[in-house]
């Protein structure tokens, strides 16, 4: 899946998220996992408590690995 925002580009390739941006990327920030009933595959958030990024795999929030 791909997402174009202005001049930025986000790709989900298998189990990787690739970002190309000239002006940065702003990810929603929460202190715990969002409990929104309509969380969908592909949603991403940054947990300000754990300082980690999570991805919704259509069933649950999964921590993204860092490089």
């Amino acid at each position: 899946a791909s997402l174009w925002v202005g001049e930025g580009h986000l790709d989900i390739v298998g189990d990787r998220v690739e970002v190309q941006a000239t002006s940065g990327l702003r990810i929603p920030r929460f202190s715990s996992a969002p409990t929104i009933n309509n969380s969908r595959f592909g949603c991403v958030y940054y947990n300000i408590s754990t300082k980690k990024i999570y991805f919704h795999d259509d069933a649950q929030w999964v921590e993204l690995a860092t490089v």
Side-chain angles (χ1 to χ4, degrees):
S2 294
L3 173 67
W4 289 88
V5 179
E7 306 231 352
H9 182 235
L10 180 127
D11 266 330
I12 299 171
V13 181
D15 60 353
R16 291 190 330 262
V17 175
E18 299 175 354
V19 177
Q20 297 175 8
T22 57
S23 60
L25 173 69
R26 177 104 179 179
I27 297 174
R29 298 172 290 165
F30 299 97
S31 58
S32 61
T35 56
I36 302 168
N37 292 336
N38 61 354
S39 292
R40 303 256 177 168
F41 176 80
C43 291
V44 175
Y45 86 96
Y46 176 75
N47 187 306
I48 60 175
S49 299
T50 63
K51 298 182 180 175
K52 296 180 180 180
I53 297 175
Y54 293 85
F55 171 81
H56 200 279
D57 69 358
D58 207 25
Q60 63 187 353
W61 290 105
V62 179
E63 179 184 329
L64 290 180
T66 55
V67 179

